[in-house]
Amino acid sequence: MQITNLTHTGRPSEPLDPRQLEFGRMFTPNFFVTEYKNGEWRNPRIQPVEPFALHPASLVFHYCQTVFEGMKAFRQEDGRVVLFRPEMNAKRMQQSCARLSIPQIDEDFFIQAIRALVENERHFLPGEPGCLYIRPTAMGVDATLGVKSASEFIFFILTLPSGGYFKGAGEGPGAIDVLVTRSVVRTAPGLMGGVKAGANYAGTIKITEEAKAMGCAQVLFLDAHDHQYVEEMGGMNIMFVQNGGLRTPPVTTDTILRGVTRDSLLVLAREHGLEVREDPITIDELITGVKNGSITEMFACGTAAVVIGINSLRFEDEPSIRTAVGSPGPVTMKLYEALRGIQYGRVPDRHLWVYEVCPAHAGASVGRATDAQGSLRATWT
Ligand code: COI
């Protein structure tokens, strides 16, 4: 499909430190958008970001018929602009759309749209440790209060100049404290936990606010049936270093998201000679492992967060635990460096994970970012 470009590429001038960028608050000036009507996606275009005029009865406002993806573009050391494993996001977007009865977005078209947008916005991509965070989103917009699928949809892609997801992270993995909840569940078998539905995240907001009030940046959710099995956090997967190997809950159920970073780290861990175990782990086993020293490191991973050490696990009504090795520990660091090395082009891309959007000469790291109101927030060279 032909993508119309309605933008004038600007070249902002003043410098910005990606370490100062607050995640999710700054947007490049243009976005990709297409509408689905009468059975087809129409008028795909890149245009200046502007608010949507949607009827207050739009389905997405009431029944959350919306799914999204999280991806990143990187400026490599040689100046190339690349995406990281975009085909995995394209496939997952299809799975998410299928689960929520949203019309399919062809995988090739999905990547073509991202590629065109990132190329257009490349001047807003800061160098390491920055990136362009990419947020493809699809939603049902018919104005009707009947609980049924929409017949009209919008698919759009935003790009955001970004540093670390957590304040202070960016130069290295950093570390956070995590609240383990036994009272709130994120999902259950048969629900939508295995796909990227907006509603999954809505359910985590209140408990995450409570966790933040306790000094914890994330919440770890357990399974809905036994309240025992470790699943995932509000927006990232979880991993442990146990007896020198890497262990993580399996994604064989539909309650844990198949994270792209998760999958990449498992491949890299094997490559680094670590034994990898994808098997269920109960919270009691985790506590025992930390206490007896068999679990030496805990960390979270995701596209936005990359890799982040877990300092301590706190509980609603029992003492907190932490590993004897400080966080981020040595294995966490090694995996973080291996991943970042590929993303920023410092180490060979043996798995063909990076996907070139622009060659080395196309666009210096110079940019300008606005907030949601369109006010200038930052510029950089
Ligand atoms: C991502 O990692 O890209 C996500 O979508 C998770 C969200 C918490 C930002």
Side-chain angles (χ1 to χ4, degrees), residues 23 68-71 133 135 165 196 201 234-236 302-305:
F23 179 84
F68 69 94
E69 270 304 317
M71 313 169 58
Y133 182 77
R135 175 50 65 89
Y165 181 72
K196 237 165 147 58
Y201 296 78
M236 44 210 79
T303 295

Side-chain angles (χ1 to χ4, degrees), residues 50-328:
E50 64 182 19
F52 294 125
L54 292 179
H55 194 284
S58 287
L59 260 153
V60 63
F61 295 150
H62 301 269
Y63 309 127
C64 302
Q65 192 182 16
T66 179
V67 299
F68 69 94
E69 270 304 317
M71 313 169 58
K72 280 178 175 172
F74 301 92
R75 186 177 300 283
Q76 296 210 318
E77 283 200 339
D78 63 3
R80 287 198 311 156
V81 173
V82 302
L83 301 171
F84 186 74
R85 308 187 76 183
E87 69 289 347
M88 286 195 78
N89 300 91
K91 198 172 282 311
R92 196 171 60 188
M93 186 79 176
Q94 288 215 332
Q95 290 161 354
S96 301
C97 285
R99 178 64 180 84
L100 276 93
S101 205
I102 294 174
Q104 284 299 313
I105 298 159
D106 176 76
E107 289 179 34
D108 289 340
F109 180 65
F110 177 90
I111 295 176
Q112 186 197 344
I114 286 164
R115 188 191 172 123
L117 180 64
V118 169
E119 188 174 9
N120 198 72
E121 305 300 275
R122 66 185 182 275
H123 301 295
F124 300 85
L125 164 51
E128 192 171 3
C131 64
L132 261 194
Y133 182 77
I134 305 165
R135 175 50 65 89
T137 306
M139 55 178 60
V141 294
D142 293 26
T144 168
L145 294 187
V147 183
K148 60 181 181 194
S149 179
S151 62
E152 296 187 2
F153 297 83
I154 298 176
F155 168 45
F156 64 87
I157 308 169
L158 290 165
T159 43
L160 295 81
S162 299
Y165 181 72
F166 294 103
K167 246 196 179 110
E171 286 302 354
I176 54 171
D177 295 299
V178 170
L179 174 70
V180 183
T181 177
R182 293 180 189 266
S183 57
V184 177
V185 292
R186 178 185 162 273
T187 190
L191 273 175
M192 300 179 297
V195 298
K196 237 165 147 58
N200 293 339
Y201 296 78
T204 69
I205 290 173
K206 183 167 185 288
I207 185 75
T208 305
E209 290 303 310
E210 288 167 15
K212 282 184 184 154
M214 297 167 61
C216 295
Q218 279 283 300
V219 174
L220 175 60
F221 295 94
L222 307 177
D223 76 288
H225 185 264
D226 299 317
H227 301 279
Q228 264 298 319
Y229 291 95
V230 171
E231 293 205 324
E232 67 169 283
M233 318 236 252
M236 44 210 79
N237 295 117
I238 188 162
M239 296 195 172
F240 312 101
V241 178
Q242 185 166 31
N243 301 321
L246 192 62
R247 185 164 181 195
T248 192
V251 287
T252 43
T253 63
D254 56 0
T255 55
I256 299 181
L257 195 78
R258 293 169 185 270
V260 176
T261 308
R262 174 190 182 281
D263 183 80
S264 307
L265 293 175
L266 296 183
V267 172
L268 293 173
R270 289 192 180 97
E271 211 171 76
H272 280 77
L274 269 66
E275 189 204 334
V276 170
R277 278 173 75 184
E278 290 180 77
D279 62 351
I281 178 165
T282 64
I283 189 67
D284 292 344
E285 203 187 336
L286 173 56
I287 294 170
T288 305
V290 170
K291 284 188 177 161
N292 71 20
S294 71
I295 293 181
T296 49
E297 296 175 46
M298 307 184 276
F299 64 90
C301 60
T303 295
V306 192
V307 169
I308 185 124
I310 298 175
N311 271 326
S312 71
L313 291 180
R314 309 230 193 126
F315 296 87
E316 283 152 336
D317 47 18
E318 52 199 287
S320 56
I321 54 165
R322 59 177 67 230
T323 56
V325 178
S327 199

